[in-house]
Amino acid sequence: MSTMTLDAAERTESARSELTGKKVAVSQAEVRKTVGQPFSDTAKLRMRDVNVFYGESQAIHNVSLDIGRNEVVAMIGPSGCGKSTFLRCLNRMNDTIEGCRVEGELSLDGEPIYGAKVDVVPLRARVGMVFQKPNPFPKTIYENVVYGPKIHGIASRRADLDEIVENSLRRAGLWNEVKDRLDKPGTGLSGGQQQRLCIARAIAVSPEVILMDEPCSALDPIATARIEELIDELRENYTIAIVTHSMQQAARVSQRTAYFHLGHLVEVNDTETVFTNPEHELTEAYITGRFG
Amino acid sequence: MTNLTQTQVRERIEKNLASRHRTEKLFRGLGIASIAFGVLAVVILFSDIIGKGSGAFMQASIQLEVHYDTEVLGIDQVDDESLTWANFSGVIRQALRERFPSVTGRSDKRELYTLVSSGAPFTLRDRLAENPELLGKSEVVWFAADDDVDTFIKSLKDSKEGFRGRTSDQKAGWIEQLLETGELKKRFNTIFFTNGDSREPEQAGIRAALMGSLFTLLVTLALSFPIGVAAAIYLEEYAPKNRWTDLIEVNINNLAAVPSIVFGLLGLAIFINFFELPRSAPLVGGLVLTLMTLPTIIISSRAALKAVPPSIREAAMGMGASRMQVVFHHVLPLAMPGMLTGAIIGMAQALGETAPLLMIGMVAFIVDVPGGVTDPATVLPVQIFLWADSPERAFVERTSAAIMVLLSVLILMNASAVMLRKKLERRW
Ligand SMILES: Nc1ncnc2c1ncn2[C@@H]1O[C@H](COP(=O)(O)OP(=O)(O)O)[C@@H](O)[C@H]1O
Ligand SMILES: [Mg+2]
């Protein structure tokens, strides 16, 4: 064993333990306190002291963050650090997970997200979500897009629905590719097209916020570039929170970047600052690829 | 161990490869052998049943010229009342005497009359009821022959002598005479499909049992499918995972393992003794079989629900669909083929079930074809059991024929399960 050379993974591993060791020794308190600018004057989503538990174990520790209107906030961090968990708090997708408990203040335009009186149905119509793996319904492309408007009673006349379908698909940059096959199954599209269909489905109900959980991790580089372009266009009308494991992607699409580490929000800053001049040593360690 | 050269390593792999191939071959051989055994068993079973039972679809029939003589019949017009007491057997006896004028002795005549089935007068009555204008006229009618005749002529092809049984030399002579002229022939046995049970094999049919099975299964399906699917949806989609739902799950699995006779006793105690539902009725049979098939349907429906990818649920939930909308718009359509397959398999089990139905009196001798779920009825497997128990030789082939019908229905059900699945399964 000792004669063996270290392979890449083990190198990362040792870097990680080195870092955590340092953290415990030097800057325990520093990790707990988010550095940078987690707050925004034009907050669309406002989160304060959020703690999330899966049964006994705590996945998110005291996270406070604002997501501004028409802003793209990227969330990065090593896998398992709680990015998805945090993102799923914002439209209460965690409600469906047995044993998951969310504490803290979360609000959308000043209205509480959690609370006995809050109905998740209108909340999820306002806060749409795009998942890691493209998950169109096993129905036609048309039905995929009109599903949201139909269940929320936004439109029911055929002409209105047709219009919604065309608009949504256009905005998702998919219209030209699928306009002749709207009655074909959505699952028959390529991965990138499926993901854009999912985006079209999400924007068909005109949400205010779109949450994206690693939307490109299952896609090829060309499809990824297409989606990134799309995110940039969507920013005009929507507030976007995107989880990504690709730092280049975060750099390309977001205005602010939040770095998570072991359930703590370590640093939030302008994307440029995070990637060129990070304030926190953990952030620096991560973006320089010392662990991941 | 530490210093193996590359050639040594390769040699070891080669050696190991040979033994791997051997085990693989052995396994494949075992697999083929077990499949061959299964196929052989099916072939033997089917050829035995078909060999024994196919005869029952043909029935020896005798052609007679009958004269609807008002004097012999003792009626002068055709109406419901006169038909019930008209002397049709007199007409048939007269026809037989005319066909064999040489038979004169009293006991000889009586033997002559046993050529045709004792159900023959009813055949004649039905003819006249349908065609009242025949009164006073003559016509040629095919009557079912007595089962002794039937057995005798069917056994003629096996041995020259044939199976005589109660058939005397004299009677055998008449039969041969009729066979030669073509007045005695094997014709398609419609009675087998149109009649209920009878003490006379040549008058016995499976219609009553078939309808009984149909009504019983309808009740079972109508109850167990919705209840089973609803229970499965609740347990899978709504119920919190706690000690109570664990307990329920264990009990559902237990229920599936309870011997069916116990359900029969339960049905007897609850549905018949306590609720005083009618005995021998498909309604009660269906209730009992519902108890039996519910676990099957719940378990298979839950498996079908579990198989729906969670990403679909997440997608729908993320769009703001309520729990019920998630289930009814997305999960259920995807799980339906699996649920239906489970239901049909459950129904097939119920169709073959005998023991619990014996307990609730569906073993009664039922002549009339049931017209509803509360009429006394029996079911196919019980009918098979009853016929297998009868001494007449002609019932042997009817037993096998009934098994053939039961098996065909089962094959039909299973085939439709496969087809339904193929059809409903999403093409994407
Ligand atoms: N459904 C769950 N039940 C229990 N623990 C979970 C569940 N989902 C995630 N976790 C835990 O929460 C932590 C954060 O997970 P996650 O939010 O998925 O991380 P990320 O998306 O950053 O990779 C991990 O330690 C993970 O093991
Ligand atoms: Mg994740």
Side-chain angles (χ1 to χ4, degrees), chain B residues 75-345:
Chain B
I75 57 173
D76 38 25
Q77 89 250 25
V78 178
D79 53 44
D80 281 355
E81 203 201 328
S82 62
L83 278 173
T84 51
W85 54 270
N87 182 10
F88 289 106
S89 36
V91 171
I92 292 168
R93 285 176 189 174
Q94 190 186 35
L96 280 166
R97 283 197 306 273
E98 277 166 13
R99 174 64 187 80
F100 294 100
S102 55
V103 180
T104 47
R106 208 176 140 81
S107 61
D108 289 350
K109 274 189 197 161
R110 198 173 297 146
E111 191 170 20
L112 182 64
Y113 300 154
T114 63
L115 275 177
V116 295
S117 162
S118 53
F122 300 108
T123 317
L124 211 53
R125 186 191 63 191
D126 293 345
R127 283 287 307 158
L128 191 60
E130 266 171 46
N131 312 290
E133 74 280 358
L134 283 174
L135 190 62
K137 298 198 185 109
S138 295
E139 74 165 334
V140 173
V141 180
W142 283 96
F143 294 100
D146 190 65
D147 62 301
D148 286 338
V149 178
D150 189 52
T151 311
F152 175 59
I153 70 164
K154 277 175 184 163
S155 64
L156 275 178
K157 66 168 186 292
D158 299 335
S159 64
K160 228 176 133 46
E161 262 297 280
F163 173 81
R164 284 294 182 85
R166 288 177 291 183
T167 312
S168 66
D169 287 350
Q170 186 184 32
K171 197 169 168 185
W174 295 329
I175 291 171
E176 259 153 42
Q177 210 177 318
L178 287 170
L179 272 174
E180 262 162 39
T181 57
E183 286 162 280
L184 176 57
K185 258 203 285 200
K186 282 194 282 180
R187 307 179 83 212
F188 183 69
N189 189 359
T190 46
I191 288 174
F192 185 69
F193 294 99
T194 56
N195 275 23
D197 199 6
S198 169
R199 294 280 180 237
E200 304 295 331
E202 74 275 7
Q203 295 294 331
I206 52 156
R207 179 74 176 272
L210 206 58
M211 293 307 284
S213 275
L214 181 74
F215 285 127
T216 309
L217 281 192
L218 278 182
V219 172
T220 310
L221 184 66
L223 289 173
S224 63
F225 190 61
I227 296 177
V229 168
I233 289 177
Y234 177 76
L235 287 174
E236 213 44 57
E237 307 284 331
Y238 289 90
K241 305 272 170 286
N242 58 26
R243 226 179 302 154
W244 291 110
T245 42
D246 283 350
L247 193 73
I248 290 173
E249 180 155 6
V250 168
N251 276 303
I252 287 172
N253 292 340
N254 277 344
L255 216 57
V258 171
S260 57
I261 190 96
V262 176
F263 286 109
L265 283 167
L266 192 76
L268 179 66
I270 296 179
F271 300 126
I272 295 183
N273 290 349
F274 186 73
F275 286 109
E276 304 193 335
L277 291 172
R279 242 163 241 278
S280 312
L283 177 64
V284 180
L287 283 167
V288 169
L289 293 180
T290 298
L291 296 180
M292 266 197 52
T293 43
L294 256 183
T296 311
I297 293 184
I298 293 178
I299 291 169
S300 64
S301 298
R302 288 188 70 176
L305 288 172
K306 271 205 189 91
V308 175
S311 63
I312 301 288
R313 282 173 232 261
E314 275 201 325
M317 219 120 61
M319 290 304 302
S322 66
R323 232 170 188 180
M324 216 174 90
Q325 286 172 325
V326 173
V327 171
F328 284 91
H329 295 169
H330 303 284
V331 177
L332 215 47
L334 290 174
M336 211 22 113
M339 290 179 163
L340 284 175
T341 312
I344 292 179
I345 289 170

Side-chain angles (χ1 to χ4, degrees), chain A residues 54-55 57-60 77-86 88 97-98 100 132 213-214 243 260:
Chain A
Y54 288 114
S57 74
Q58 187 164 1
I60 294 288
S79 72
C81 68
K83 307 179 296 288
S84 301
T85 302
F86 184 68
R88 291 163 63 94
I97 297 171
E98 200 90 21
C100 182
Q132 183 167 357
D213 190 352
E214 307 200 21
V243 169
F260 283 78

Side-chain angles (χ1 to χ4, degrees), chain A residues 35-199:
Chain A
V35 302
Q37 301 141 8
F39 306 126
S40 159
D41 296 334
T42 58
K44 179 84 189 168
L45 281 161
R46 188 169 179 274
M47 282 75 70
R48 291 293 177 272
D49 301 319
V50 175
N51 289 297
V52 183
F53 303 84
Y54 288 114
E56 291 301 299
S57 74
Q58 187 164 1
I60 294 288
H61 301 260
N62 269 319
V63 170
S64 297
L65 177 68
D66 283 344
I67 297 176
R69 210 171 296 277
N70 296 2
E71 180 184 39
V72 179
V73 172
M75 300 176 184
I76 58 170
S79 72
C81 68
K83 307 179 296 288
S84 301
T85 302
F86 184 68
L87 193 74
R88 291 163 63 94
C89 293
L90 308 186
N91 68 344
R92 292 183 59 174
M93 282 299 284
N94 283 336
D95 286 15
T96 55
I97 297 171
E98 200 90 21
C100 182
R101 192 155 48 85
V102 178
E103 286 174 359
E105 285 171 43
L106 295 97
S107 60
L108 171 64
D109 278 338
E111 297 162 32
I113 292 175
Y114 284 80
K117 287 203 202 96
V118 182
D119 189 348
V120 294
V121 167
L123 170 72
R124 288 185 189 147
R126 292 175 67 188
V127 184
M129 187 150 190
V130 176
F131 297 84
Q132 183 167 357
K133 200 173 139 265
N135 56 357
F137 299 129
K139 300 175 188 287
T140 66
I141 293 171
Y142 188 92
E143 284 171 338
N144 262 284
V145 181
V146 299
Y147 184 69
K150 268 191 180 163
I151 59 168
H152 292 296
I154 295 168
S156 56
R157 290 217 330 267
R158 179 78 195 194
D160 296 342
L161 291 174
D162 286 349
E163 201 185 314
I164 288 177
V165 169
E166 182 170 346
N167 278 341
S168 310
L169 287 172
R170 268 190 200 287
R171 272 192 284 172
L174 193 60
W175 176 251
N176 287 329
E177 289 157 67
V178 301
K179 61 172 184 254
D180 302 321
R181 46 194 282 210
L182 292 176
D183 56 344
K184 296 286 187 306
T187 38
L189 298 170
S190 75
Q193 288 175 322
Q194 286 190 21
Q195 196 62 299
R196 276 181 279 150
L197 175 60
C198 292
I199 293 174

